[in-house]
Every structure is written in C-alpha cells, then in structure tokens.
Amino acid sequence: MGRPPCCDKDGVKKGPWTPEEDIVLVSYIQEHGPGNWRSVPTNTGLLRCSKSCRLRWTNYLRPGIKRGNFTPHEEGMIIHLQALLGNKWAAIASYLPQRTDNDIKNYWNTHLKKKLNRYQTAEQPHHHFNSYPSNTGVAAAAASSTTSSSNGVITCVRNNNNSPSPLLHATTNSSSLSASSCYYASSTENISRLLEGWMRASPKTNNKLIRRSSEHGSCEDVVVGMEDDAVVEEPNKDDNDDDDDDPLMFKEGISLYGNMDGGSSHDMMWAKATSECFDKEMMKQDNEDGNESIHQQDHSNSNNNPPFSIFEKWLLEESSHGGGGQVEEMMQLSPIF
DNA sequence: AAAGCAGACAACCGCGGGCTT
DNA sequence: GAAGCCCGCGGTTGTCTGCTT
C-alpha cells in the first residue's frame, strides 16, 4: 500500500519550535486532549506536520516530564533495561515514567555508550560487546554500572556526570519571548510561565490535564478537574534551580493546564491524589540510595504501569537463578561509573 | 579573541504495526 | 482480505553550546 506523506512537504515549517507555536499547541491540546494528531496542524493553523506536533508534545510539552540530570538510579535502570530489552527505548521509558524515550535514547547515545566504550578499552580490551546477542543491548550488560545485590535489583551506580543541561534556560520575560528566532528550548516550566497571563484571563474552573497510564501500560493524557487551591508553585520561585529532581516539576506541569470547563469532583480527587502520590514517590526516590527504588516505583505505579511488576519478577528471577544469564553476567562485572 | 572541535539535545525521517473501512 | 490511514518507534541528522587550542 502506498503510504501518503504525513504532511505536505511544502509549507511545512521545520526546526526548533517557537514559544508562540508551543502556546498554540498546548492550548489546543488543553482543549481537545492529545491524539488525533493529524487534525492538529489544520485546526491550529500551525505550519507543522502532525508528527512534529506529536513529538513536540510527547517529548517536551507534556506534563510530568523530568529533564536533564539523570540520577545514578535512573542511569542504572537504563543500563539494566537496555541490557535486557535492547534499544527498545519506548519500553525502557515506560519504566521511567518521567523520561521520554527520546531523552533516554539521547542519553544512552551521548553518555552511556561512551562510558561503556571507555570502560571496554580501558579495563576489558578483550571483552567484546558483540559477543552478546545483538538484540539484547549488550554493551550495557558488559558495562552495567550496577553493583549486584541479593535481590538482583539495581542498587548502586556511580556517576559524576550531573551537569545541568545547557538548554534548560527558562524564558521568563517578554523580551526573550519575542526573540523567537533564536534557538529556543522550552520546558514545562517556561511554557507554564508563558501561559501564565493567558491562564489568568480564563475563568476559574481549574481543570487539569495530566498524564495517566491506561490499562495496557501506555500513557494517556486526561483532563480532570482541580480545586483552586490544589496548585501549585510560585512560577518564578525556582527560576535558577537546576535540580531537575524537584518533584514540583510535575505540579508545574499540571499547572500548565488550568482553567478548563467541566470536570467532576471525582476527577478532582483523583488528580490531587495522583499528584501527591507522585510527589511522595519522587521524594522517596531522590532521598534514598536507590536500593529499593524499583519496588517503590512498582508500588506507586501499580495502577499506572501494570507490566512493571511482571518485569520486576523477571529481573528477580533472572538474577536469582544464576544460570549464566545475561543479568548475572553483567552483575558480576565491576562498576565503571 | 577567534577558530575549531566535541558534546549534548531537539527534531526529522522512514518504517512497521494496528485499526478502520 | 486488501487498502487506506494514523500513530508510535528507532535511527539519524541538524544545530546550538561550551571547551580547547
């Protein structure tokens, strides 16, 4: 079957998104919800193809996204999961709910791969990654930064690469807003700020659009009601805070979607509970050593990510059986990060 | 101070899968 | 069952930034 182009190549804008485009996209999704991407460009007037709109939303504008500063725990999880799943970035991302597949993929390609290579050449020149099956992502296995533990769960990763992303400059004033021609990288934070005035102009029904997982494990965005006092954070309070582990990030993401009509009280409660649960989980993950973080995530996401417990079981079985599986093999390797 | 280089990340492209007609 | 359509994924590229020379 002949596949039509996803968009008309002529007149389709490419390159970095401007704040104005972000606002248009976000406001449209606020109103209609994500999905039906095909209709987004035509309905919004954006000169972008549907794919570009979807990508922009899922990788950047969507609430709940955590950017930059991969924690050692996250790094360990990525390495571990990559070893098990291969380059199935979407699958890996499903176990790191705040991270996008693109983010993980980029991080793998730019950081972890190199660490692995360095490790390979420096310490194990004889150990060739391609001795692993190609679909298991291997390199990772060889270089897993994890130290083994009795339960086989990632426990400790050493990582010195916590430099903040140079692209996380929040555009907080109108002058930067107007400078749309320069390279622009927005975040849920600065988009929230961009929309601040726009939101104030709207009636105070305060519905929220937040992400939740559907029963099959994928994420969907839903619009729910939210009480006026349920949100949030003073927008400019943490302008220069580069700590992307801040659980308030999720709240700020939520705050982006205020002021829509409709929404039930049940949804309000659900939204609040979800937000609080998320915050608690983030606190736990960030404050602890990562020793039981997979379990924590499993519990907190028991409604969001049903496959996680299955995966966890698999991890545990793999490591506990000691039958020469990849997991065990990688666990035996010395940490390199 | 300027040029070159490498790193980092956003965005694009093409393909495959799944759903609908 | 075939065709059309849409969405999501993974690989790759383009561009900006920061560092080094």
Side-chain angles (χ1 to χ4, degrees):
Chain A
M1 65 183 112
R3 173 176 295 275
C6 77
C7 51
D8 181 14
K9 298 293 180 186
D10 297 326
V12 172
K13 189 179 171 190
K14 292 182 182 177
W17 280 65
T18 65
E20 290 81 6
E21 288 176 312
D22 283 339
I23 291 172
V24 170
L25 179 60
V26 166
S27 58
Y28 177 82
I29 292 173
Q30 178 193 8
E31 197 171 342
H32 299 93
N36 198 13
W37 297 108
R38 186 85 172 174
S39 66
V40 172
T42 51
N43 291 347
T44 59
L46 285 170
L47 300 175
R48 298 278 182 172
C49 75
S50 55
K51 274 186 178 181
S52 185
C53 293
R54 182 180 58 82
L55 212 63
R56 183 65 181 170
W57 172 256
T58 55
N59 288 338
Y60 225 102
L61 301 174
R62 194 183 64 187
I65 292 177
K66 183 172 152 188
R67 308 196 60 76
N69 283 1
F70 277 75
T71 64
H73 163 245
E74 288 175 317
E75 190 173 308
M77 276 195 76
I78 292 168
I79 291 168
H80 204 148
L81 289 164
Q82 205 277 347
L84 291 167
L85 302 172
N87 293 354
K88 304 294 181 189
W89 305 117
I92 294 171
S94 68
Y95 297 104
L96 294 163
Q98 302 164 270
R99 301 290 188 182
T100 68
D101 53 354
N102 206 38
D103 229 14
I104 293 170
K105 179 175 60 181
N106 282 335
Y107 189 70
W108 173 265
N109 287 331
T110 58
H111 292 82
L112 300 179
K113 237 176 169 178
K114 287 169 189 171
K115 286 183 180 180
L116 299 176
N117 287 336
R118 257 185 276 133
Y119 173 70
Q120 181 191 19
T121 54
E123 296 197 23
Q124 289 194 310
H126 62 281
H127 189 112
H128 296 291
F129 294 144
N130 57 12
S131 62
Y132 289 87
S134 61
N135 65 339
T136 55
V138 153
S144 169
S145 64
T146 62
T147 54
S148 61
S149 67
S150 59
N151 61 5
V153 174
I154 295 165
T155 56
C156 173
V157 180
R158 288 194 289 274
N159 173 29
N160 295 323
N161 190 359
N162 279 331
S163 58
S165 164
L167 293 177
L168 283 173
H169 303 305
T171 51
T172 55
N173 56 44
S174 57
S175 60
S176 58
L177 237 178
S178 62
S180 58
S181 59
C182 65
Y183 189 81
Y184 172 75
S186 63
S187 66
T188 49
E189 283 177 282
N190 55 30
I191 292 298
S192 177
R193 290 174 189 127
L194 293 172
L195 288 171
E196 193 179 4
W198 169 72
M199 285 164 58
R200 283 205 195 102
S202 305
K204 280 199 126 190
T205 24
N206 276 5
N207 286 3
K208 308 296 167 191
L209 189 152
I210 47 184
R211 190 165 63 119
R212 83 170 94 166
S213 295
S214 59
E215 59 254 47
H216 46 81
S218 62
C219 292
E220 61 181 300
D221 295 280
V222 293
V223 176
V224 297
M226 198 78 158
E227 292 172 1
D228 287 348
D229 60 350
V231 191
V232 158
E233 186 67 16
E234 174 62 31
N236 293 322
K237 183 180 172 186
D238 271 332
D239 269 357
N240 297 318
D241 186 1
D242 280 330
D243 182 8
D244 284 325
D245 290 339
D246 188 350
L248 292 173
M249 192 69 175
F250 185 65
K251 285 182 177 177
E252 291 192 3
I254 291 176
S255 73
L256 177 59
Y257 300 99
N259 309 325
M260 292 180 65
D261 295 332
S264 66
S265 58
H266 172 269
D267 282 342
M268 290 182 204
M269 293 173 64
W270 182 87
K272 288 181 80 169
T274 306
S275 179
E276 287 167 9
C277 177
F278 189 94
D279 286 351
K280 283 179 188 171
E281 206 49 49
M282 286 304 303
M283 291 292 195
K284 270 200 287 180
Q285 285 194 16
D286 289 339
N287 290 337
E288 294 190 18
D289 198 14
N291 194 24
E292 292 178 356
S293 51
I294 287 182
H295 289 279
Q296 293 163 7
Q297 202 158 3
D298 185 24
H299 296 323
S300 71
N301 292 325
S302 58
N303 294 329
N304 295 346
N305 285 317
F308 200 94
S309 57
I310 297 169
F311 181 78
E312 184 187 3
K313 273 186 195 171
W314 180 36
L315 282 174
L316 293 171
E317 285 169 8
E318 277 278 346
S319 58
S320 62
H321 286 165
Q326 290 175 8
V327 174
E328 192 205 14
E329 187 173 352
M330 61 194 246
M331 287 297 188
Q332 289 174 348
L333 294 164
S334 59
I336 61 169
F337 301 109

